Amino acid sequence: MTLNRRSFNKSSTAAALLALTATLFGVSAAHADQLDDIKKKGELVVGVLGTDEPNSFIDPKTREIVGYEVDLAQAVANKLGVKLKIKQLAVAARIPELQQGHIDLLAASLTHNKEREAVIDFSLTTFVTGQKVLVKKDSGIKNVADLNGKKVVTIKGGTQEPNIRKAVPNVEVVTFENGPQAFQALQQGKGVAFVNDEVSLLDQHAKLGALQAQYVILPQNLSVEPLALGIKKGEAKFKLLIDDTLRGLEKSGEADKLFIKWYGPETRLKFPVRSFKIETDKVDA
């Protein structure tokens, strides 16, 4: 068949558009949904802290990482019918590891806020806590405002540092890789106060034994922290499965059992009741 130049140009343009469409479709098809990828590899890789008892920590007897968030991750793996694989992360590495695809899911004491929604997605809220300040009783610090011009210690890469800076603009902040390191720094006098989630502070305070009397947690909340599982941006099917799993735990009563197991009256933290339900993924700030 003989084509004139105009016909050839039209045919070329049409062919190019068809090729582009096919390419885009091919890319879309090649980028399998994360849910499918997880099922194919037969394992769910979950990033945890492993240093934040009782959310995730190393059991001294078994040397395995256990905790409230580990049990939530196990429930998701069971729903998928795959093996759970735990990967321990530093606080500051949580979101980068998720974005780079090194893990499938974050169960790492992760605060859900509007700022983070720009880079990752979140499950339904799985826990609600507040951030507070732990000080030595003889420090002279009676309230958060007394930290003006003082040095405090906290965890690198979390929401603790921006929250204490917002509450006390002239505070000096020194960060450490995890909670135990920051708490040790407080004990060593490297700061007059330790800023962390209230649950973590209660746990670390309880571990002091007879030395508990030397420390006190200030009553003021710096913030309210809704914790959730972190999901790679745009993985709608995976988020739906995770949220359905969490709703199932709430409906069956298993969510309450997990709370009692890790936080309840028989634990070191001795929380009498659960003050929240696993039911929403909305946050105010």
Side-chain angles (χ1 to χ4, degrees):
M1 180 184 295
T2 302
L3 298 175
N4 60 34
R5 184 178 297 274
R6 180 175 294 178
S7 297
F8 179 78
N9 288 340
K10 287 182 179 179
S11 298
S12 298
T13 300
L17 288 172
L18 185 61
L20 178 60
T21 301
T23 300
L24 291 174
F25 178 79
V27 168
S28 177
H31 175 65
D33 188 278
Q34 186 184 16
L35 195 58
D36 297 330
D37 292 340
I38 294 167
K39 289 178 179 178
K40 285 177 183 177
K41 68 183 178 182
E43 66 178 16
L44 175 70
V45 183
V46 178
V48 305
L49 295 184
T51 56
D52 190 25
E53 191 173 351
N55 279 337
S56 63
F57 63 101
I58 298 174
D59 186 313
K61 294 180 181 178
T62 65
R63 305 308 300 168
E64 294 182 352
I65 295 179
V66 298
Y68 175 73
E69 290 185 321
V70 176
D71 283 356
L72 294 180
Q74 183 65 65
V76 176
N78 291 345
K79 183 83 167 181
L80 281 163
V82 299
K83 179 182 177 182
L84 175 65
K85 181 178 179 181
I86 296 295
K87 182 176 181 179
Q88 192 171 1
L89 305 173
V91 172
R94 293 175 298 181
I95 291 176
E97 287 281 304
L98 181 67
Q99 290 177 311
Q100 292 163 21
H102 298 156
I103 56 173
D104 301 313
L105 182 67
L106 276 174
S109 301
L110 185 70
T111 297
H112 178 183
N113 57 35
K114 293 291 187 182
E115 181 181 358
R116 285 175 172 167
E117 282 183 355
V119 292
I120 66 171
D121 289 331
F122 291 87
S123 72
L124 303 177
T125 296
T126 57
F127 198 89
V128 179
T129 185
Q131 285 181 351
K132 290 193 173 183
V133 179
L134 177 70
V135 299
K136 287 187 176 181
K137 278 189 177 179
D138 62 5
S139 67
I141 305 297
K142 302 299 181 184
N143 55 62
V144 171
D146 291 338
L147 296 172
N148 186 52
K150 303 289 196 305
K151 183 184 292 185
V152 305
V153 298
T154 192
I155 304 166
K156 179 181 179 182
T159 57
Q160 294 91 337
E161 181 176 359
N163 284 340
I164 188 61
R165 289 191 184 280
K166 182 179 180 180
V168 189
N170 293 324
V171 73
E172 182 181 349
V173 182
V174 180
T175 61
F176 295 83
E177 287 298 321
N178 55 54
Q181 289 179 8
F183 186 39
Q184 184 178 44
L186 173 68
Q187 294 172 292
Q188 294 170 343
K190 294 180 181 178
V192 299
F194 173 30
V195 181
N196 205 0
D197 292 346
E198 180 182 18
V199 167
S200 297
L201 290 181
L202 288 169
D203 179 67
Q204 286 153 337
H205 188 247
K207 288 177 180 176
L208 287 170
L211 296 178
Q212 286 183 43
Q214 297 180 16
Y215 294 83
V216 63
I217 298 174
L218 300 182
Q220 301 98 324
N221 263 335
L222 297 179
S223 65
V224 175
E225 304 289 311
L227 307 185
L229 305 179
I231 307 161
K232 196 172 183 180
K233 197 73 177 171
E235 296 293 345
K237 284 174 62 178
F238 189 31
K239 173 174 163 54
L240 181 61
L241 179 135
I242 293 166
D243 288 349
D244 283 348
T245 302
L246 296 174
R247 285 192 184 95
L249 295 177
E250 186 65 52
K251 184 176 181 180
S252 69
E254 189 63 27
D256 204 51
K257 291 178 181 178
L258 289 179
F259 177 86
I260 292 170
K261 174 183 177 181
W262 296 108
Y263 290 95
E266 301 302 317
T267 69
R268 187 166 51 241
L269 293 174
K270 303 185 186 309
F271 275 58
V273 294
R274 184 171 60 129
S275 61
F276 63 91
K277 290 195 175 194
I278 301 177
E279 58 186 357
T280 182
D281 61 359
K282 307 303 179 188
V283 295
D284 295 329

